[in-house]
Amino acid sequence: FNLITLLFLTLLTFAPNQASADIGGLTKCSESPAFTKRLNSSVKKLEQRMSQYEADSPPALALQQQIDRTKARFDKYGRSELLCGTDGLPHLIADGRWSHAAEFILPGFGFIYISGWIG
């Protein structure tokens, strides 16, 4: 029994850390140039639409609110641990790793729990 425990601990000690491995070429959204480019292009399109209206008109104010929401959304993705692909979009990792549980496993359990109450 002690030999098996010693072997198991040795394997855990010298096993490579998979959490730091690169997952399919994905990078953190905060470090992704494509993610930043997508943010800038989204804001630029909204600012171009906003330039067609007077400064304090209702459409201009609505577009300004949309710009603020867009920046807040990209900021939230950048601060999170989500990984972005070469397209600049966040990708969910659904392979069962606990380091990515907040992306898929926990919402999945929430869905099953709520649908169990409804159904």
Side-chain angles (χ1 to χ4, degrees), residues 48-110:
Q48 285 176 350
R49 284 180 53 198
M50 193 171 71
S51 67
Q52 297 174 355
Y53 300 103
E54 294 180 17
D56 292 330
S57 66
L61 295 175
L63 285 170
Q64 183 59 46
Q65 288 177 350
Q66 190 172 359
I67 289 171
D68 295 339
R69 286 192 310 261
T70 302
K71 287 181 181 179
R73 184 179 73 241
F74 275 86
D75 183 51
K76 183 178 178 182
Y77 287 148
R79 286 182 288 129
S80 68
E81 294 296 319
L82 291 177
L83 300 175
C84 287
T86 56
D87 54 358
L89 295 173
H91 293 261
L92 298 179
I93 308 300
D95 63 354
R97 294 183 195 177
W98 286 109
S99 60
H100 297 284
E103 297 173 25
F104 187 76
I105 295 172
L106 298 178
F109 284 143

Side-chain angles (χ1 to χ4, degrees), residues 11-22 97 99:
L11 286 174
L12 284 178
T13 304
F14 295 110
N17 188 4
Q18 290 185 357
S20 63
D22 190 15
R97 294 183 195 177
S99 60

